[in-house]
Amino acid sequence: MSQLNEIVILLKEINEKMFKIFRKIFPDESDKRTLEVDLLMTRMMVVSRLGISERTYNRWVKAGILTPIVLGNKHYYREEDLREAIKRSVNRGLI
């Protein structure tokens, strides 16, 4: 996971540099927001953060409550996606 976080940090740095160049070339467009690159959470980080068991995690994924970003056989989540999934599920009475 540390390599993935390092990649995300590098992408953030590249994004910031590109935005600075963009502002120099197009000063009138400088109020546009940059693309936010979030750190990804692993399955175990989600389990720990939500205080649930791995079994509950697997049931929630199977039920569609949580929708991971799947890379190979690993599950990852953006913080924002996790918050939205939980909010939707609470509103629908699923959890």
Side-chain angles (χ1 to χ4, degrees), residues 57-93:
Y57 168 85
N58 291 328
R59 281 195 314 265
W60 286 8
V61 169
K62 189 173 184 177
I65 294 170
L66 297 175
T67 307
I69 298 167
V70 180
L71 300 173
N73 64 348
K74 304 218 184 268
H75 289 187
Y76 298 101
Y77 294 87
R78 290 185 322 132
E79 176 75 30
E80 180 181 330
D81 293 341
L82 185 62
R83 277 195 305 262
E84 288 176 15
I86 297 302
K87 188 185 298 184
R88 270 193 320 272
S89 297
V90 168
N91 289 341
R92 291 172 37 198

Side-chain angles (χ1 to χ4, degrees), residues 25 44 53 72:
I25 297 171
M44 292 310 295
S53 68

